[in-house]
Every structure is written in structure tokens, then in C-alpha cells.
Amino acid sequence: MTWTLRLPPVASGAGSLSGFTPAWLKRVVNADLTEFYVSHLSPLWSMRQVKARVVDIVEESADCKSFILQPNGLWRGFRPGQFVTVTVEIEGVRQQRCYSLSSDWREQERLRITVKEKKDGRVSSWLLRNLRKQDVLMLSQAQGEFAAPQSLSEPLLLIAAGSGITPLRAMLYQLEEHPRNTVLIYYARSREELIFAEEIRKAAAHCAHLTAHICYTAAAHNQAEEGGRFHPDQLSRWVPDYRDRRTLVCGPEGLMQRVRRHWREEGVEARISFEDFTGTFHDFFDPGLIASSQSATYQVDFQRSACVIEADGRQSLLDLAEAAGLHPPFGCRMGICHSCKARKRAGVVRNLVTGKASGAGNEEIQLCICVPITDVSLDV
């Protein structure tokens, strides 16, 4: 997956947001003040930020909920398989996480994200326990290139586990208007942890081109049901032509590694795509720029603050600073206003807007759109 932040449209009245002239500053202050005051009268309104109101909440399982969202007029739509970045403020610190859209792409005014509580997942736990109807979330525009190929003659194999079903569920809606030969293999620990089970069964019943295998991985599953984790023998039995199919996979890292290894051994790795929110960017970067440890743990040294923290490459430097109790200046948090510009003394960061890695030396960077991909020292 290419994890790229796309910029929302800026209203013409907001003016240019570059440079540091008094006129620029005046326009920004006016725009920010307008945004601030009007948002208190109409929380969904914004000149430059996609926001969405929670209009319904569906309990999918004991630790998973779907939030039905009505976006404001800045929303530009999405393609099945894409995701949004959700921004929430928790105990005074802004946090961002990516969630795939699981809704029907034909209903662009009624979005759905499905959140499963993660162990030590600060944002997922907060959303499940605190988000209520009528609350307003900040969203990015839809992002990502995880999508089915356009050619309907190419058969599909979709493999998901747990909450990894969410982008694939959005793709299944496409079959209603654009039928194609599709096999879905969906793993869950137990019947109680299935997400969209009834929807998937109905889709399979109504679409002659869709075959769905729901597979339980817990040892105590009903023997009358399909069970077991992903295995090549199981795959050959259910999908003997899998080598000829375009395959899309989303799920826990362990599943994706097993699937990737098998496709690589079969010499068909080029026919498989993964949705990866784990922050391992090794598919998109020169391996020489990434720390050798695949555990992807880096040290970020905020030198002026005498603060060193560990990072896994998934949070922006601004989020890391705030998580450490620091308060560097920021504005848009999208790379537009440059308010969070800071000097990097050493180390390599990735710019999430351009996708490019920085040099290793002294240079200015934007904290809000950069993540560390080596140990980093900052003049912050």
C-alpha cells in the first residue's frame, strides 16, 4: 500500500499559505479565526477540512463497531479498497489512525469505517468507548491504491482475517454492478468474532460469481464448519486456479507473511497486493534508507527538550513530540502551512506527502508529515 496523504481543497478565500509576509499571516489568522468560530456554531462546517458526523453506530462484535458517517461538502468520494485517516484529540493530544472504508462506494454521503479494538490501541479503544451519535470526526480525503484491477475478465481471490475484511467488503459491493469471478476466504477466530457475516452470506447467495469460504481459526470450532489457518493445501483445495487470479490480502501481519511467502515460492508474487497499516515501508523505499531491524524501532532525539523516545515509523514526528509531552508549533497538520517546520540535525525521515526520503544530514522538515525511518535528531 502506498500511504500518501492527499491535500484537501483550499477555499479561494483562504489565500496562499506559503511565505511569512504580514499579509500572508493576516490571511491565515483570519482564516483560522473564521474556522474556529464557525465550527462552534456548525461543527461540520469547514473551509478546508473534511469532517464527518456520526449518524449511526453498529455493534459488529464484542470488540468491533461500525461508525456510519455523513461527510461535509469537501468530501471528494472514494474507490472501494481506499482508506481515510481519522484524527481525534485524546487528553489534549491529536492522534491519527488509518481506517479502511467498508461502505458501498455508490453511497458517498453515507460512509462506514469499522473499528476493532486493538491491544494497547489508544485510538481504537477511544473510538469504541467514547464516540457517540452526532459527534464529528476529522477525516482525510480517501487515500490508497489497494483496489481490484479494472479488467472484469481477470478473476479475483480476496483473503482477509479479522478486521482486514473491511476494504474487501467495500469491493464486494462492486460485484453487484460489475460481476466477476471472485473467491473470498475470510478467517476469524470464532463465529462471535465475525464481521459482516450476514452481509457476506447474502452477497454470496445473490451473486453467482462469488464464492465465500468463512473459516474459523480457534481450535474449538464446530467440526461441521470450515476451520484452520491459511495453508497451501487448503488453498489448493478451495481455489485450484489461485495462481491465475489477481489476489488481494488484508489482515494481521502473520497471515500476510504466510501468504506472501507461498506466492513467492510459487513464482506468482507479482499477482498479489497487500493492504498494510503496519508501517513497514520496505516495499516502497530503498532498503538502504531503512533501519536494518525489521522490528522498525527508532530513536527520536528532541535535542533542545532533552527528550529521547522510541518510534516505530507509524506516527508523524509531530504526533511523537506531543505524545512525549512536548508542544512544538503546528497549524494545519497536513503539510500546507509549514507552521511545524523544524530543523533535523541527523537521520532520515519520510515525507508522507511526496513519499520521498530525506537526506541524512542537517535540513528543515515538516514535523506533521514526516515519519522517522532511521534514528533521528531534531532541534526541537
Side-chain angles (χ1 to χ4, degrees):
M1 178 200 70
T2 301
W3 186 20
T4 303
L5 291 178
R6 294 180 182 166
L7 306 182
V10 179
S12 57
S16 170
L17 294 177
S18 61
F20 289 90
T21 66
W24 169 87
L25 182 59
K26 183 178 180 180
R27 284 198 296 273
V28 171
V29 169
N30 287 342
D32 284 345
L33 284 176
T34 301
E35 188 91 9
F36 175 80
Y37 285 120
V38 176
S39 68
H40 282 69
L41 298 174
S42 177
L44 202 58
W45 184 91
S46 177
M47 294 174 63
R48 54 194 177 187
Q49 173 68 55
V50 177
K51 296 181 179 179
R53 187 186 305 280
V54 180
V55 296
D56 201 3
I57 300 174
V58 179
E59 292 204 16
E60 304 288 357
S61 68
D63 61 352
C64 180
K65 293 181 180 178
S66 286
F67 298 96
I68 313 302
L69 308 174
Q70 180 185 42
N72 66 13
L74 296 180
W75 176 248
R76 297 201 292 254
F78 76 102
R79 290 179 283 108
Q82 289 192 302
F83 66 91
V84 293
T85 300
V86 175
T87 301
V88 295
E89 187 170 307
I90 302 173
E91 297 177 356
V93 177
R94 284 191 175 188
Q95 305 279 351
Q96 293 183 321
R97 294 294 186 274
C98 300
Y99 292 103
S100 295
L101 291 158
S102 57
S103 48
D104 189 335
W105 93 104
R106 294 165 295 191
E107 300 179 3
Q108 295 287 352
E109 296 183 352
R110 188 176 170 86
L111 310 177
R112 178 173 67 180
I113 59 171
T114 303
V115 181
K116 183 177 176 64
E117 187 166 19
K118 304 292 185 184
K119 184 181 180 182
D120 301 323
R122 191 173 191 186
V123 175
S124 63
S125 296
W126 188 91
L127 290 172
L128 264 61
R129 296 171 188 176
N130 295 279
L131 198 61
R132 300 288 183 267
K133 288 184 182 180
Q134 302 303 313
D135 286 349
V136 173
L137 290 174
M138 288 191 289
L139 306 181
S140 68
Q141 295 288 353
Q143 306 163 63
E145 304 299 330
F146 186 68
Q150 291 188 348
S151 172
L152 298 178
S153 62
E154 191 169 12
L156 287 182
L157 170 58
L158 310 177
I159 301 176
S163 59
I165 190 65
T166 53
L168 305 185
R169 176 64 190 106
M171 293 181 191
L172 293 182
Y173 286 113
Q174 285 183 301
L175 299 180
E176 297 175 10
E177 285 200 8
H178 307 292
R180 68 194 304 166
N181 187 322
T182 302
V183 176
L184 168 69
I185 303 177
Y186 176 29
Y187 298 92
R189 280 185 49 78
S190 64
R191 179 181 294 274
E192 290 72 26
E193 295 186 34
L194 277 176
I195 304 171
F196 309 140
E198 194 56 31
E199 291 185 30
I200 292 171
R201 291 192 181 98
K202 286 182 178 178
H206 288 90
C207 179
H209 301 275
L210 172 63
T211 302
H213 296 276
I214 295 178
C215 194
Y216 302 106
T217 59
H221 72 273
N222 188 327
Q223 294 302 312
E225 299 168 329
E226 295 174 316
R229 297 178 183 274
F230 170 81
H231 190 278
D233 292 342
Q234 176 196 67
L235 180 66
S236 298
R237 188 169 65 253
W238 288 344
V239 198
D241 63 345
Y242 72 93
R243 297 175 187 83
D244 300 323
R245 292 174 176 266
R246 177 67 63 176
T247 301
L248 297 102
V249 186
C250 187
E253 187 174 350
L255 169 71
M256 295 198 290
Q257 288 180 347
R258 288 193 293 275
V259 173
R260 182 193 294 274
R261 188 182 309 121
H262 181 65
W263 257 249
R264 182 175 297 161
E265 290 170 353
E266 293 293 311
V268 289
E269 190 177 9
R271 299 190 57 75
I272 194 167
S273 300
F274 297 87
E275 180 69 304
D276 181 8
F277 292 126
T278 64
T280 52
F281 300 113
H282 49 277
D283 281 347
F284 308 101
F285 285 85
D286 179 347
L289 297 176
I290 305 175
S292 57
S293 169
Q294 289 302 305
S295 62
T297 298
Y298 315 113
Q299 285 198 336
V300 179
D301 183 1
F302 299 99
Q303 291 182 331
R304 271 193 292 120
S305 304
C307 175
V308 179
I309 64 173
E310 288 192 344
D312 59 10
R314 288 180 290 182
Q315 287 183 281
S316 72
L317 292 167
L318 179 58
D319 287 339
L320 290 169
E322 291 178 335
L326 308 181
H327 302 284
F330 67 87
C332 64
R333 303 182 80 97
M334 299 180 212
I336 301 174
C337 71
H338 293 251
S339 300
C340 63
K341 189 181 293 183
R343 184 154 290 279
K344 173 176 65 67
R345 298 300 186 191
V348 182
V349 300
R350 180 194 185 197
N351 183 312
L352 296 175
V353 174
T354 65
K356 295 180 179 178
S358 72
N362 193 323
E363 62 183 308
E364 286 193 330
I365 60 171
Q366 292 171 264
L367 299 178
C368 71
I369 55 170
C370 289
V371 297
I373 56 177
T374 68
D375 292 347
V376 173
S377 296
L378 300 168
D379 184 21
V380 172

